[in-house]
Structures are given as C-alpha cells and as structure tokens.
Amino acid sequence: MNKRIHYYSRLTAPADRALIAPDHVVPAPEECYVYSPLGSAYKLQCYTEGYGKNTSLVTIFMIWNTMLGTSILSIPWGIKQAGFTTGMCVIMLMGLLTLYCCYRVVKSRSMISSVDTTTWEYPDVCRYYFGSFGQWSSLLFSLVSLIGAMIVYWVLMSNFLFNTGKFIFNFIHHINDTDSIPSTNDSNPVICPSARSGGHPDNSSVIFYASNSELQQFEKWWNKSKTVPFYLIGLLLPLLNFKSPSFFSKFNILGTVSVLYLIFLVTWKAIRLGFHLEFHWFMPTEFFVPEIRFQFPQLTGVLTLAFFIHNCIITLLKNNKNQENNVRDLSIAYMLVTLTYLYIGVLVFASFPSPPLSKDCIEQNFLDNFPSSDILSFIARIFLLFQMMTVYPLLGYLARVQLLGHVFGDVYPSIFHVLIFNLFIVGAGVIMACFYPNIGGIIRYSGAACGLAFVFIYPSLIYIISLHQEDRLTWPKLIFHAFIIILGLANLIVQFFM
C-alpha cells in the first residue's frame, strides 16, 4: 500500500496535495526492520523520499553489527573441519564471493531503467524479473533462513540456560564439574565434552556423586535435552504473540556488547593458554588435524549464513548519506566482518591446548569447551542468553509478517492464527534442541539452502538477464556467473553427504 501511495503522489505536481495520503494511512517509518538471520535484528528509520543521513562510518558499523552474531560461535569448529590453513583460505574466499554477490544485489535496481525503483527492495527486483515465482520463492528461502536461525537460537538458549543453572548449583554446593570430563588441569581449564559422549554433543550434565540425592534431583529436572528446552516455552511463547516487537528492538545494543565481549574473551583465553600448533598437510596425528580436510564444505555452509545480509542490504544502504560511497562502505564492512571471523576462529583454534586435548575436541559452540564453572564464559553465556531472548521475538515477528502477511493479507489475522504459527516455530526449536542440538549442522544446512537463492542464484541470474536484454552479455560474464550458480548448487548438495 505504501508503494501504491508513493506512485499516486507522483501523478500530480509536487504542489498539488490532492493525492497525498493522510498521516494515519501511511505506515509509520519506524516500523521498518532489518535483520541478518544469525546477526542482529532491529528497527531502522526508513526514508520513503530521498535517502537517509547516516555517515559512511555509521553505515559500515551497522552492516558489521547486523551481520555478526551467533555464527561466530561455530567458526572455530568450521576451521577444525576444514583444516587450519584451508579454513583461513575458505573464510577469505567466501568473504570475497559473498561480497561480490552482495554488490550485484545493490546494483540490481540500477539495471532496471523502465521503472522507478527508488522505493524497491530486493524481493521487488525478483518479482520484476521472475514474476510471482520470484516473489514466492524469495519468501520461501527467507522463511528458511529465519526459521533456521530461530531453531539455532532455541538450541543455544537451552545450552546457555542449562549452563547458567549448572554454574549456580555448582557454586552453591562447591562442586567441580571437570572431574569426569577430559580436561586440562590448570587455572584455565578447557574441556572435551565430545570425548565422553562418543563424538556427539553433550546433552546431559554429569552425575558427580551417585549417593547425593539432591544432586540427582537437580540432574533429573535440569537436563540440557530433556527439560531445559521445555522451560523456555513458558518464557518465550507469550513474547512471540505480541502484535508489535518494538519493545524488543530497544535492546539491539546487546548484540554489539555480546560480540565485543566474545572478542575480549577469546583474546584473554589465547593470552593465558598460548598457541599450540603443528602443521601436517594431509595426515592427522593424535592431537592435531591435517591442514587440508575434505570436510571443508561444512565451513562453506556455515559461512554462507555468516556472511548473509543480502536480504536487507538495499535497505541499509538506502540510509547512507553519500550514496556514491555505497560500494566502498559495503566492501569495508565485509572486510571487517571477515577479519572478525578470522580473528575469533584462528585464536580459538590456535590456543586450544593440544596436547593434552586433541583439536578434534573443538565443539560446534566453542563456549562448550569451557566448563560451566568458568566465570568469563558464564558472563558470555548470560550476555548471549539475554541478547537472543530479545532477538528471538523479533525474528518470530518477521517470519509472521512474511508468511501470514502474504497468505492472509494481515500480519495479525487473529490470535488463533498467530498462536498456531508460533507453536509450529517453537515446536521445531524444542524438537531440534532435544534430538539434534548440533548448531553447526543446523547453520550449514539452512545457510546453504537460503544462500542458494539470495546469495548465488538470484544476483547472478538477474545480472545475466539484464545484460542479455541490453545486448551486453559476453561469454566470459556468462561463464563466470553460471559458475557462481553451480557453486551455490554444489554447496547445498554436498552438505547432505558430509
């Protein structure tokens, strides 16, 4: 409706107010949300006419802040899966590839000369080129990214809530929770939960003393996979039913604080633990993984979602004061995000104490490698828990807007519709937290799926079509962009065989 009103206002002279909509009809500008599935989600001041007033520095920081998020927790695991040298190369190459595809998204509107695209977003561009198929397919893949992120959030919130409760219980009862887990015996303990659970993430806490009935009761009612995921329902399900998530958008500063604290935590731990590296190119050893591993596509799946901002980059750059700097600012932001991922991944991998522990012990959430009694990790889990609890209702609202808004024409058709939709999303999160709490696997599957459309296929295909329409398509450009599409398809297919 907003686009229609904007079109009507162009039919008359600027001085003629006959076709200008009254204020109560025009959607409020503050109800414009941007999000990156595993990064931040917050309200953005939108400008229907002209452009915003953000400086380049603010724009770069907003892109950096929006893109970064919980995917940081899986980057060290991804480097371990790929190998140290291969992992660093893959991060840089994926950063360049996703930056180019994002650049193609930014330029996609300017390729359309027959229509005024001032107010268009990327789904509008997809609809222009592909019709209703482009509109509905972009909606589908957007929902995949949102629901995948919400499932990851539920798994992580269950993890953080469990470890927080475990820390409090152990502190009160003076219990050391590293006794039955392979760990380092120093003032900065690092643990290997997967060694005890046969290579799978730890889904239960440890029974320290079988004769202690109080501890057994705690273990019975405070279990990572059997009870804690259900406790979150009572807290988060009511929040998902709010008509507007404006209240939660006020806490987006927690995302920045969480990322900065994780950088501090990783730096401090690396200083205390030191570096532990050996280079073996193809053959693993008892404590070290080879530099080149054939599981590297698992990292590419994670990075596809970690670098994903293609769905809202046009909106973010629309608020840039100097539009001629958009490409430069986007490139700088991507470079900073790439450096942040490299910094976190390299420090965690390099400082992981091998020996006595093997590098294969690095968990899909690297905070799981620190015991629940670790104070600095406890603070990180608290920060992330509260940040996710404020972002989760925002993501739920955005998913509701996209699905119910398209199907029923109303983002809040009734409390019954909203409740059924929210129960489905919450149920998916609970099921995954109970039976498949592997955030690395969930991220790479959802990342490869939504990235197939938004990162690889749509930007390249739209560029090819536009060049063809202008008779400027050359074989090198066709081959290059077809290769990008093939990479996206291979990235998705290979995830199911790794």
Side-chain angles (χ1 to χ4, degrees), residues 254-327:
L254 289 175
T256 306
V257 174
S258 299
V259 171
L260 293 177
Y261 183 80
L262 282 176
I263 293 174
F264 161 76
L265 171 67
V266 168
T267 304
W268 178 255
K269 291 292 185 181
I271 292 173
R272 299 299 299 270
L273 294 170
F275 284 177
H276 307 267
L277 289 173
E278 284 186 12
F279 295 93
H280 305 275
W281 288 104
F282 298 104
M283 297 301 296
T285 63
E286 182 181 0
F287 299 107
F288 296 92
V289 297
E291 299 302 299
I292 300 175
R293 303 183 80 179
F294 292 107
Q295 294 99 317
F296 74 88
Q298 296 185 0
L299 177 58
T300 64
V302 171
L303 290 173
T304 304
L305 207 56
F307 284 116
F308 184 76
I309 199 173
H310 303 62
N311 60 325
C312 65
I313 189 60
I314 291 178
T315 306
L316 285 170
L317 292 178
K318 223 186 258 187
N319 286 264
N320 197 0
K321 181 179 181 181
N322 301 308
Q323 290 293 298
E324 67 274 9
N325 296 334
N326 278 348
V327 175

Side-chain angles (χ1 to χ4, degrees), residues 37-39 69-74 144-160 232 236 302 305 364-365 384-385 388-389 392 395 425-426 428-433 436-447:
L38 294 182
T70 53
S71 52
I72 283 182
L73 300 174
S74 292
V144 168
S145 68
L146 276 170
I147 295 176
M150 294 182 75
I151 290 173
V152 171
Y153 272 42
W154 201 277
V155 173
L156 286 173
M157 286 187 293
S158 301
N159 181 306
F160 297 148
L232 286 170
L236 292 175
V302 171
L305 207 56
Q364 296 184 17
N365 168 13
L384 288 167
L385 178 61
M388 290 181 185
M389 289 175 64
Y392 188 85
L395 295 180
I425 293 178
V426 169
V430 172
I431 290 172
M432 297 300 280
Y436 189 77
N438 304 315
I439 65 166
I442 302 170
I443 290 174
R444 66 187 179 93
Y445 288 128
S446 58

Side-chain angles (χ1 to χ4, degrees), residues 132-147:
S132 60
F133 172 79
Q135 177 184 0
W136 286 101
S137 60
S138 62
L139 169 66
L140 172 64
F141 286 108
S142 180
L143 284 173
V144 168
S145 68
L146 276 170
I147 295 176

Side-chain angles (χ1 to χ4, degrees), residues 419-434:
L419 184 60
I420 293 298
F421 178 71
N422 291 335
L423 284 174
F424 168 77
I425 293 178
V426 169
V430 172
I431 290 172
M432 297 300 280
C434 291

